[in-house]
């Protein structure tokens, strides 16, 4: 249990109170889930991890599945937008293949924005009204475990997800993609 293979560093967010609360920042070799309501600051927190990676001379990749990348806003958040890799894959399968390739290549940080934007090819090829039960949850629950071993290369993986309201209170168990509290996240920052 004391092998160096199990050691990992952290990427500070540059928000001292939050960094102290989570042990020094976002852990490398781990998945971190940023979950919260719309416009709660999830992408901003992820952007601050990218800023820290860039200041240290590292490489970050941002997967923009919701077509919401705003270079003007990201620049205002402190990013060097010319040196961040931004990808807008056409399918969930393409996203996971690319993320695995980037992690294996040893990039410092991968940001997935967001789980709710993961749409497999089988669903994209159907009519707009097509909605098989739990298609997204089934895809994420089968694909994500195949991706996690690539984290051994030292990459930090931030996945962003939205909370959805249902009958009763809003909770982490009501996130698209079937990613509840019990899933693989090293820790969850529940942004409110």
């Amino acid at each position: 249990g004391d092998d160096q293979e199990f050691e990992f560093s952290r990427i500070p967010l540059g928000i001292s109170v939050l960094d102290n609360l989570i042990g020094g920042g976002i852990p490398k070799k781990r998945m971190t889930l940023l979950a919260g309501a719309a416009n709660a600051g999830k992408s901003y927190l992820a952007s601050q991890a990218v800023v820290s990676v860039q200041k240290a001379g590292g490489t970050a990749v941002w997967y923009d599945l919701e077509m919401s990348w705003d270079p003007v806003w990201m620049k205002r958040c402190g990013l060097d937008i010319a040196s961040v890799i931004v990808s807008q894959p056409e399918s969930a399968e393409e996203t996971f293949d690319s993320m695995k390739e980037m992690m294996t290549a040893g990039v410092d940080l991968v940001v997935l924005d967001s789980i709710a934007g993961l749409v497999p090819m089988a669903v994209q090829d159907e009519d707009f009204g097509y909605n098989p039960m739990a298609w997204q949850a089934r895809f994420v629950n089968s694909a994500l475990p195949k991706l996690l071993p690539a984290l051994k290369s030292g990459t930090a993986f931030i996945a962003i997800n939205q909370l959805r309201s249902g009958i009763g209170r809003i909770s982490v168990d009501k996130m698209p993609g079937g990613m509840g509290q019990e899933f693989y996240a090293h820790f969850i920052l529940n942004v409110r």
Side-chain angles (χ1 to χ4, degrees), residues 79-152:
L79 271 75
D80 175 1
I81 59 171
S83 67
V84 64
I85 300 167
V86 179
S87 178
Q88 295 178 327
E90 294 185 13
S91 69
E93 292 89 349
E94 184 182 331
T95 303
F96 274 90
D97 287 342
S98 178
M99 286 193 303
K100 186 172 185 178
E101 185 178 324
M102 290 293 170
M103 290 175 182
T104 304
V107 299
D108 297 282
L109 175 64
V110 167
V111 176
L112 174 63
D113 188 11
S114 76
I115 291 170
L118 288 168
V119 181
M121 287 302 297
V123 175
Q124 286 184 12
D125 293 341
E126 295 292 338
D127 294 332
F128 281 109
Y130 179 72
N131 190 16
M133 183 179 277
W135 59 267
Q136 192 173 47
R138 286 197 314 269
F139 177 82
V140 171
N141 285 332
S142 66
L144 191 60
K146 297 174 186 175
L147 178 68
L148 294 179
L151 291 173
K152 289 181 181 180

Side-chain angles (χ1 to χ4, degrees), residues 7 13 30 44 61 65 69 78 88 91 106 141 151-152 155 161-162 187 190:
E7 294 178 5
L13 296 170
R30 303 288 186 271
Y44 175 76
V61 184
L65 302 184
W69 176 262
Q88 295 178 327
S91 69
N141 285 332
L151 291 173
K152 289 181 181 180
T155 301
N161 208 1
Q162 292 83 31
F187 63 87
N190 192 0

Side-chain angles (χ1 to χ4, degrees), residues 17 33 61 67 78-79 86 151 153 157 164 173 178 187:
V17 173
L33 178 62
V61 184
M67 306 305 163
L79 271 75
V86 179
L151 291 173
S153 66
F157 176 34
R164 300 284 194 244
D173 294 325
F187 63 87

